[in-house]
Amino acid sequence: MSRAPMSDDLFDTIVSLSKQRGFIVQSSEIYGGLSATYDYGPLGVELKRNVKDEWWQSMVYQNDDIVGLDAAIMMHPKTWDASGHTEAFNDPLIDDKASGNRYRADTLIEDYIRDLREDGQEERAAEVHERLVEALNAGEEMNDALHQIIMDEEIPAPESGAFDWTEVRQFNLMFETQMGPVDGQKVFLRPETAQGIFVNFHNAREPARQHIPFGVAQIGKAFRNEIVARQFVFRMREFEQMEMQYFVKPGEELDWYEQWKERRMKWHQSLGIDPASLRFHEHEQLSHYANAAVDIQFDFPIGWKEVEGIHSRTDYDLKRHEEYSGKKMSYYDPWAEERYTPYVVETSVGLDRTIFMLLCDAYYEEEVKGDTRSVLQFHPKVAPVRAAIFPLMDKEGLPDIARDIENDLNQHFNVLYDERGSMGKRYRRQDEAGTPFCITVDFDTLDDQQVTVRDRDTMEQDRVAIDQLATYIFDRTKNWERRDT
RNA sequence: GCGGGAGUAGCUCAGUGGUAGAGCAUCAGCUUCCCAAGCUGAAGGUCGCGGGUUCGAUCCCCGUCUCCCGCUCCA
């Protein structure tokens, strides 16, 4: 088996296959579509559910020290003041008319100050810095104040060198909505799920009788008004995250960080992803709240891109919530008899990106007797349909036997019955949907109570007793190995 | 958001100032029966949406929406 050469076309192929087969389609398509929002079709929703289940099992069920949570999408507005999103997700941006490039007005000035310092102009730098601080605290006047600094200092655009700026405009990356039908209070749709975990630190820990170290896992939607939201489901305005916050004793966070880094990489590989298409990417610049951060990247058709982030978030979030809520967010260790604010190691994976990764990684084409066979080589445990069941012909009660098998196997996993078209055609249909096993009831079945199970990856067939089918499929799923890595 | 390109059947695409086709896919019938065979037929499109020019617009012009490629950030 050799993989047909594919290059830039893979992206387009995945997008059109997604639509044609019902994995992912653009939202509100009949009205012309809604930018950067997508719907999951019949196959897509199964794939998504399976990936969520895999994650939840690996986090919550397979770890004594991790519990689950499902927090509301809407949270008290103060949450976002505490988390820093009100500030950080509110960027003053300015465009260079010459190059069309966009910059953050405040970092533009910061870079300028740094240049002054490197140039030995300490006094000047301090002056501008003072004005910058003033501007940032000017409330509604901030944008004008920033603009004025750029004008007064005649700061040129970094790339073009031009001095031809637009006004400074505010970009709010958080979605706002109203809570209450009349004069509702302004609330936000959460831009990340993590804060739901932090504010519930005690509510999750105490009833579950957990002690440090322990973790809280959550799967849920988050919303961001991305300035540039494109590239299929890679960057959406409404997206789903699978996050786990692991609370540890201060000083131990980097050990846990290393451990979770490795465990998360193994998880992606356990989905059947080609290890050669996965890598770590260390952050060069750390967020103000992190003391270590790494991405797990996948080699998408659009380049190496981040699928998951693992961050050592220090005690920033809990400390901030303690400050803003006035509630104690620390932990008392009854054995060591000491009180401290835990540090947090975060693993945050994009569900939609994981789906996209699976589609890209699984897809291949090969030549079979002069025809092209398109296959989605999903790991059987995440495949939308685990097994398809075919009667060889619509004769001698073969469909009845096939239906019986369907009703038996659908107790365990998603299956699909199909009696239309030739055998070859039915096999190929399932190959493109990523169905790992096809079960065929033939005339011999009437005598020996056995059926043919055809393997998606090798196209080889096994003869299996009907009453052993479920066991056989579970076994093959467990021992599945990716081909052609 | 700015610059460049593009929107015609479920998918990939032809096409013309006089209201549209192909291949694949789908459905029905015949045939075949373990790897996309064949034949016949059917269904499916107000040519992204709105406006303008014109006797007449899918085609020309304007606006708008959406997608793709660049520019910042992230899951």
Side-chain angles (χ1 to χ4, degrees):
Chain A
M1 177 161 103
S2 68
R3 197 172 274 222
M6 283 183 295
S7 54
D8 308 338
D9 298 336
L10 179 59
F11 183 87
D12 292 333
T13 303
I14 296 295
V15 173
S16 70
L17 177 71
S18 288
K19 177 165 187 202
Q20 200 168 2
R21 296 308 304 257
F23 281 99
I24 299 169
V25 295
Q26 197 181 13
S27 168
S28 313
E29 199 185 32
I30 63 167
Y31 290 108
L34 185 65
S35 181
T37 49
Y38 289 86
D39 299 339
Y40 284 80
L43 287 180
V45 68
E46 296 299 335
L47 182 59
K48 194 176 180 184
R49 288 173 60 95
N50 291 341
V51 170
K52 279 201 242 188
D53 282 351
E54 275 301 312
W55 188 87
W56 194 261
Q57 281 182 28
S58 78
M59 281 292 178
V60 180
Y61 296 169
Q62 290 163 15
N63 291 296
D64 279 354
D65 55 352
I66 297 178
V67 297
L69 181 77
D70 186 19
I73 284 170
M74 291 180 290
M75 301 181 69
H76 195 288
K78 275 193 177 175
T79 307
W80 310 113
D81 294 335
S83 70
H85 283 86
T86 310
E87 206 173 342
F89 268 40
N90 232 330
D91 294 337
L93 299 180
I94 188 166
D95 292 351
D96 170 26
K97 289 182 194 164
S99 64
N101 288 342
R102 168 166 297 157
Y103 306 91
R104 278 185 55 164
D106 52 342
T107 52
L108 205 59
I109 298 169
E110 277 167 17
D111 290 346
Y112 174 71
I113 294 169
R114 196 194 52 215
D115 290 346
L116 286 178
R117 287 224 172 89
E118 282 172 5
D119 204 32
Q121 305 187 48
E122 280 296 337
E123 276 182 34
R124 216 31 218 302
E127 246 173 65
V128 179
H129 181 73
E130 197 176 322
R131 282 191 69 187
L132 175 62
V133 172
E134 226 171 84
L136 290 174
N137 290 309
E140 289 181 6
E141 311 294 315
M142 178 177 79
N143 290 341
D144 291 341
L146 289 172
H147 189 252
Q148 201 54 52
I149 298 174
I150 293 170
M151 291 298 113
D152 292 349
E153 298 296 324
E154 294 186 11
I155 301 174
E159 265 101 56
S160 68
F163 180 65
D164 189 11
W165 298 106
T166 61
E167 293 297 302
V168 175
R169 288 171 298 183
Q170 201 65 20
F171 282 69
N172 190 354
L173 269 47
M174 284 200 288
F175 277 80
E176 291 178 16
T177 189
Q178 301 286 322
M179 186 126 167
V182 181
D183 296 333
Q185 181 188 18
K186 184 170 87 174
V187 296
F188 299 101
L189 305 184
R190 64 184 177 197
E192 66 172 23
T193 54
Q195 298 305 324
I197 294 176
F198 294 131
V199 301
N200 278 302
F201 173 63
H202 296 306
N203 292 331
R205 190 191 72 78
E206 285 170 17
R209 297 168 50 231
Q210 290 288 343
H211 289 277
I212 302 290
F214 80 103
V216 180
Q218 174 170 230
I219 299 174
K221 291 274 178 108
F223 305 80
R224 289 182 196 173
N225 271 318
E226 295 290 345
I227 299 167
V228 177
R230 275 187 217 142
Q231 291 169 315
F232 197 44
V233 296
F234 188 78
R235 192 177 285 103
M236 299 197 289
R237 296 230 159 91
E238 172 179 343
F239 61 102
E240 200 153 2
Q241 293 183 306
M242 302 190 290
E243 289 199 317
M244 194 280 296
Q245 310 290 336
Y246 201 73
F247 299 94
V248 305
K249 188 171 178 176
E252 295 178 358
E253 71 272 13
L254 292 180
D255 290 339
W256 286 108
Y257 168 78
E258 289 301 326
Q259 195 185 120
W260 278 110
K261 211 176 122 175
E262 298 307 320
R263 286 170 78 173
R264 292 310 302 152
M265 179 60 92
K266 285 203 180 100
W267 183 80
H268 288 280
Q269 292 170 357
S270 81
L271 292 180
I273 303 295
D274 182 358
S277 296
L278 291 165
R279 73 177 187 192
F280 287 116
H281 177 76
E282 301 283 345
H283 282 211
E284 282 156 22
Q285 260 190 325
L286 294 175
S287 305
H288 56 286
Y289 56 74
N291 64 5
V294 68
D295 297 338
I296 292 176
Q297 295 188 329
F298 175 76
D299 190 10
F300 286 99
I302 50 178
W304 286 94
K305 299 277 185 179
E306 178 184 353
V307 174
E308 173 155 4
I310 296 123
H311 303 109
S312 177
R313 287 182 79 129
T314 69
D315 57 359
Y316 175 81
D317 296 279
L318 288 178
K319 279 255 174 76
R320 291 275 288 195
H321 283 301
E322 183 166 291
E323 181 189 334
Y324 279 72
S325 70
K327 302 287 191 300
K328 199 174 275 182
M329 298 301 278
S330 55
Y331 165 80
Y332 179 75
D333 182 336
W335 296 282
E337 296 183 344
E338 58 172 336
R339 177 171 285 282
Y340 58 84
T341 304
Y343 271 43
V344 173
V345 175
E346 167 186 273
T347 74
S348 175
V349 55
L351 177 53
D352 311 280
R353 287 181 179 185
T354 304
I355 301 298
F356 186 28
M357 168 176 74
L358 282 164
L359 285 166
C360 293
D361 184 69
Y363 186 81
Y364 69 89
E365 295 171 357
E366 63 173 341
E367 293 295 315
V368 178
K369 291 178 185 166
D371 277 314
T372 302
R373 187 173 85 111
S374 306
V375 187
L376 280 171
Q377 188 191 205
F378 294 129
H379 192 301
K381 68 187 181 182
V382 296
V385 178
R386 183 77 67 90
I389 303 148
F390 313 139
L392 185 63
M393 292 182 70
D394 183 10
K395 281 183 182 167
E396 296 185 39
L398 264 41
D400 293 336
I401 299 172
R403 287 291 188 188
D404 285 345
I405 293 172
E406 179 191 13
N407 288 323
D408 176 35
L409 294 182
N410 68 16
Q411 308 291 313
H412 306 292
F413 36 68
N414 191 29
V415 296
L416 181 140
Y417 173 90
D418 189 6
E419 59 181 23
R420 290 195 293 261
S422 68
M423 285 311 301
K425 199 164 206 168
R426 282 182 263 176
Y427 285 147
R428 298 300 170 81
R429 266 202 286 260
Q430 294 310 314
D431 289 339
E432 207 178 58
T435 306
F437 308 110
C438 290
I439 298 162
T440 301
V441 178
D442 58 25
F443 294 107
D444 291 340
T445 306
L446 298 170
D447 299 324
D448 63 8
Q449 298 299 302
Q450 292 186 340
V451 291
T452 303
V453 181
R454 178 265 199 181
D455 182 276
R456 174 197 62 199
D457 304 333
T458 62
M459 295 188 282
E460 286 166 4
Q461 303 182 341
D462 269 355
R463 198 73 184 161
V464 179
I466 290 174
D467 60 10
Q468 292 299 308
L469 269 176
T471 308
Y472 173 88
I473 290 172
F474 278 129
D475 192 50
R476 290 286 302 275
T477 299
K478 194 175 175 189
N479 296 314
W480 183 84
E481 275 180 33
R482 182 198 164 79
R483 290 173 53 89
D484 192 37
T485 50

